[in-house]
Amino acid sequence: MSQQAVLPRQKTPNTSEATIFKILFVIGLCHLLNDAIQAVVPAMFPILEKSMGLSFTQLGIIAFSLNMVSSVMQPLVGYFTDKKPMPFALPVGLSFTLVGVLGIGLAPNFALIVLSVLLIGLGSAVFHPEGSRVAYMAAGTRRGLAQSIYQVGGNTGQALAPLITALILVPLGQIGASWFTIVAALAVILLIYIAKWYSERLAVFPARKQRNSSSNSQQERLSSDVKKALGFILLLIFARSWYISGMTNFYAFYAIKEYALTIKQSQIFLFAFLVSGALGTFLGGPLADRFGKKTVISFSMLGTLPLSILLPYVPPLVAFIILMLTGFILMTSFSVTVVYAQELVPGKIGTMSGLTVGLAFGMGAIGSVGLGYLADLISLQTMITWLGMLPILGLTAFLLPSDRKVAEFNRKSS
């Protein structure tokens, strides 16, 4: 009788928990396409400034509109689809992005640019929580690997945007953005395929998910130590997001003014920062497994500090090298902060993921407006110099509980 009871439970994981690499690579590619389109918005800032005569504050408002809609809507979409999964929300969301990117290419004024950007933000808000769910469903027992494939797709998309901008948008101008509707259309087609697979898999996952959520319902109250640790993590995410926002939105202008670079050359500098950041994100997880999450988070911020302070005072070639090192070191903590928060509150995996990743977009949005206003107020050069001091908040990482302590919190809550 006892053997009879064990056999069915062993069979289910074998059939439903195999890692489905085809789905992971397709959703990773869609993440690349989605984030490439989203990252084209700040990469277009030098072109929009010239074609429309926009101020740094207006450019900050555009970035704020994009990131704020994405960050505010993302947890709401995730919460809603947790209760009622909607596989075909994925291609529908990317259809909003398609309309938005077409609008940016054709918009004659600032107001329509903002409206187009809001549509791109909405499409991204729908894509990210559902894309993450697809990666989870296709992961089987290899969830770390699945998230790496999914996340690297997005980071690579962001890194490619300046390069694509230099090759397409600089020669064609604002109208060149409309060519990215082809990219969005390809993503929609791929997501229709994903949505069909997702619909079929829903027959396997809901029952297990309901059991998990009911067993976790008693873990509502957090201890003061856990709340404090979460506060420190969110402060570190705040510092990282503001720094990245300042670099991706305004460093191209700085490089053009200080080094007399062309728009195309400045985009290559930005590409170096972002592509090394994608590599840092991918390697951050394995480094944390070897050296500990707290160690990697601390190194990520404090290792960036001397480089970010030095950056405004060096010649172009050295600046290019420093940008690559800064992007790599800073972004090693991106996925690690998510995992650290998830382990702090093990019963709320989705909530912690949404809080840490969504907050990163939200803080970047607020930072875009604040830093744009600061650049107009005290000059771009001074703002970039002050920005280099921001990673000093990484000292907060020393106040985080050790990995062993987090494991103790984990045991107490389970």
Side-chain angles (χ1 to χ4, degrees):
M1 192 79 162
S2 62
Q3 284 180 339
Q4 207 81 351
V6 171
L7 284 173
R9 288 219 309 262
Q10 286 181 335
K11 230 173 194 181
T12 306
N14 290 337
T15 56
S16 65
E17 293 194 10
T19 305
I20 307 170
F21 285 101
K22 181 168 70 171
I23 294 297
L24 288 174
F25 288 132
V26 172
I27 197 65
L29 176 59
C30 290
H31 199 183
L32 185 154
L33 298 175
N34 177 84
D35 283 27
I37 294 168
Q38 189 171 346
V40 159
V41 176
M44 278 189 67
F45 281 2
I47 294 162
L48 291 175
E49 187 219 17
K50 276 193 169 181
S51 65
M52 293 189 176
L54 302 181
S55 68
F56 288 125
T57 303
Q58 287 176 308
L59 294 175
I61 289 169
I62 292 171
F64 175 85
S65 303
L66 174 68
N67 292 330
M68 207 60 190
V69 168
S70 179
S71 64
V72 169
M73 292 294 293
Q74 201 176 127
L76 292 176
V77 170
Y79 177 78
F80 183 76
T81 53
D82 274 342
K83 290 178 175 273
K84 185 178 179 178
M86 299 172 64
F88 284 90
L90 282 163
V92 170
L94 253 292
S95 298
F96 283 112
T97 298
L98 190 154
V99 174
V101 77
L102 181 62
I104 286 180
L106 303 176
N109 55 50
F110 173 69
L112 285 178
I113 289 285
V114 171
L115 179 61
S116 300
V117 160
L118 288 172
L119 289 173
I120 293 174
L122 181 59
S124 185
V126 172
F127 173 80
H128 280 101
E130 286 298 271
S132 185
R133 193 192 313 279
V134 167
Y136 178 90
M137 292 169 77
T141 56
R142 307 174 78 177
R143 290 178 191 162
L145 175 63
Q147 280 300 316
S148 291
I149 294 170
Y150 175 68
Q151 288 293 349
V152 165
N155 289 335
T156 304
Q158 292 173 20
L160 285 174
L163 196 60
I164 296 169
T165 301
L167 296 174
I168 297 174
L169 296 178
V170 171
L172 298 179
Q174 184 183 339
I175 192 69
S178 58
W179 283 92
F180 285 89
T181 55
I182 299 169
V183 176
L186 175 60
V188 170
I189 292 166
L190 290 173
L191 287 173
I192 290 171
Y193 166 74
I194 289 286
K196 288 178 179 176
W197 175 86
Y198 182 175
S199 299
E200 292 167 6
R201 296 288 286 184
L202 279 178
V204 177
F205 277 79
R208 186 182 303 171
K209 196 169 179 188
Q210 277 186 343
R211 285 198 299 274
N212 288 343
S213 63
S214 63
S215 67
N216 291 329
S217 60
Q218 57 230 19
Q219 301 174 9
E220 293 295 328
R221 280 185 303 209
L222 303 180
S223 71
S224 60
D225 287 340
V226 170
K227 286 179 182 176
K228 204 181 296 180
L230 274 177
F232 290 142
I233 277 289
L234 295 181
L235 179 62
L236 290 167
I237 290 170
F238 161 84
R240 186 183 66 209
S241 299
W242 269 56
Y243 185 81
I244 292 169
S245 175
M247 296 303 289
T248 54
N249 290 326
F250 301 111
Y251 188 78
F253 293 107
Y254 177 85
I256 289 166
K257 286 186 177 181
E258 287 297 302
Y259 303 134
L261 301 182
T262 64
I263 292 177
K264 188 180 288 190
Q265 289 168 334
S266 73
Q267 293 299 312
I268 305 253
F269 272 58
L270 192 55
F271 172 74
F273 177 74
L274 292 172
V275 79
S276 59
L279 182 61
T281 299
F282 184 70
L283 293 177
L287 288 171
D289 288 339
R290 183 170 176 78
F291 300 107
K293 287 177 281 295
K294 180 178 176 178
T295 302
V296 170
I297 292 168
S298 304
F299 169 73
S300 157
M301 296 298 294
L302 295 176
T304 301
L305 182 60
L307 296 171
S308 63
I309 290 173
L310 188 62
L311 183 61
Y313 304 104
V314 296
L317 179 60
V318 179
F320 187 84
I321 295 167
I322 287 178
L323 280 170
M324 292 181 69
L325 290 172
T326 302
F328 177 83
I329 294 170
L330 187 63
M331 290 301 285
T332 53
S333 68
F334 186 85
S335 59
V336 180
T337 49
V338 177
V339 175
Y340 187 91
Q342 288 174 340
E343 292 187 1
L344 271 174
V345 191
K348 302 287 182 184
I349 301 295
T351 303
M352 289 301 106
S353 178
L355 183 64
T356 50
V357 178
L359 184 76
F361 282 106
M363 289 296 99
I366 295 168
S368 299
V369 176
L371 294 172
Y373 177 76
L374 210 55
D376 284 332
L377 189 67
I378 61 173
S379 87
L380 180 64
Q381 289 83 348
T382 307
M383 185 273 282
I384 292 291
T385 303
W386 286 10
L387 188 67
M389 298 297 297
L390 202 54
I392 203 169
L393 289 175
L395 288 168
T396 308
F398 290 116
L399 301 174
L400 289 171
S402 67
D403 289 29
R404 192 181 300 135
K405 193 78 174 170
V406 171
E408 284 176 27
F409 294 155
N410 214 315
R411 280 194 297 272
K412 284 177 187 175
S413 63
S414 59

